[in-house]
Amino acid sequence: MPTDATIKTSGEAVGRLSVVRAGMLSLLQDRGRRGLAYYAIPPSGPLDRRSAELANAVLGNAPDAPVIECHFAPPTLRFESAAVVCLTGADMGWTLDGRPAPRNATVAVAPGQTLSGRPAEAGCRGYVGVQGLIQTSRTFGSASTYALGRFGGNGGRPLAAGDVIRWQRPEETRPQMRLSLADASASDRPITLRPGPEYDWLTPTAQHELRNGEFRVSPNSDRMGARLEGPTLTLRETAMADSVPVLPGMIQVPPSGRPIVLLQDGQTTGGYPRIGYLPAADLERLVQIPPRQPFRFQFSA
């Protein structure tokens, strides 16, 4: 809840931080780019959009302001300027100069302080928002980093040691805020699955396994797609006559019978049967399930 207290930073118009360690994969992401599938350009944007938008909401930023998306192991960031940050998503054991830093709250950072963490617990992806507007390169109107295409934020590449991030400070002073959110494993509840256009291509046995089987996210996954381990799904037909449109959240089944859930950097067309689709909120939960942690689908017509 907001309080009467406010956080004040220095009078500098532009803030600055340096990347000391990059973490496993740290990317600048805003809401992504839309309307470019015809040109084979995926939307990109945060895998867990809710957590990214929560960071901006707590800070009073615009919903589409860029944030830092951290995968599995977070970066170490040294702040050369005073800042206000918000940490959301997976619990990465964040500390500020070795002292615990709360999540889902405004956190004041003094010049010279270092933000660091540890490998994620109770999730996979964490987010660092900075009060104000991160200044970075944009492509097709978006600062979302699409590393495969080498465009978007930070010159289209993941953060690396020595990189500098600058941000425009807000003109007004904003209130402190802290939210109380219950931590829960993303796999505590089944992931909602809706039938896709080629769902009927699955054999009856495969349909039963999809509805009742236990699945795990393979470590061999990335921002293009989450490969699933579990029951092998058998298809009556295995190839489409033509490539068809696909979107994040669609589940395709290649000839191997191992499903792939398309994510934000996935291709925009494909030739594998689309046997299911995950609603946005459930896709955000899926990407927070650690590799090889079991989960089930809950079928929704």
Side-chain angles (χ1 to χ4, degrees), residues 184-285:
S185 171
S187 61
D188 282 350
R189 304 191 320 275
I191 300 293
T192 299
L193 180 149
R194 293 174 179 162
E198 288 77 51
Y199 173 76
D200 290 338
W201 288 25
L202 292 170
T203 64
T205 298
Q207 291 180 16
H208 176 81
E209 290 174 334
L210 181 63
R211 292 170 181 253
N212 299 284
E214 191 174 81
F215 291 87
R216 293 172 172 79
V217 177
S218 168
N220 187 25
S221 300
D222 53 27
R223 279 183 49 93
M224 288 187 66
R227 298 177 180 273
L228 302 186
E229 299 174 347
T232 300
L233 303 181
T234 305
L235 295 153
R236 294 190 180 94
E237 300 179 61
T238 59
M240 308 285 290
D242 298 293
S243 289
V244 292
V246 292
L247 298 166
M250 280 189 168
I251 305 176
Q252 293 185 291
V253 178
S256 67
R258 295 297 179 91
I260 300 171
V261 183
L262 297 182
L263 300 180
Q264 275 69 7
D265 284 354
Q267 69 272 18
T268 60
T269 61
Y272 297 143
R274 303 158 297 176
I275 56 92
Y277 179 80
L278 305 186
D282 287 80
L283 181 60
E284 291 166 1
R285 288 178 52 225

Side-chain angles (χ1 to χ4, degrees), residues 106-172:
T106 48
V107 179
V109 184
Q113 287 193 302
T114 298
L115 180 70
S116 58
R118 61 173 183 263
E121 297 178 5
C124 301
R125 276 91 188 184
Y127 294 84
V128 180
V130 180
Q131 194 168 81
L133 181 64
I134 290 176
Q135 305 292 294
T136 190
S137 51
R138 292 176 175 266
T139 307
F140 302 115
S142 172
S144 283
T145 305
Y146 178 44
L148 289 173
R150 298 184 180 180
F151 58 72
N154 200 43
R157 60 180 179 80
L159 297 180
D163 284 348
V164 173
I165 296 176
R166 295 177 173 83
W167 66 93
Q168 185 73 36
R169 298 182 184 280
E171 295 181 359
E172 74 283 2

Side-chain angles (χ1 to χ4, degrees), residues 5-23:
T6 57
I7 294 177
K8 295 183 179 180
T9 57
S10 67
E12 299 174 347
V14 178
R16 181 177 183 272
L17 67 83
S18 300
V19 179
V20 179
R21 295 186 182 86

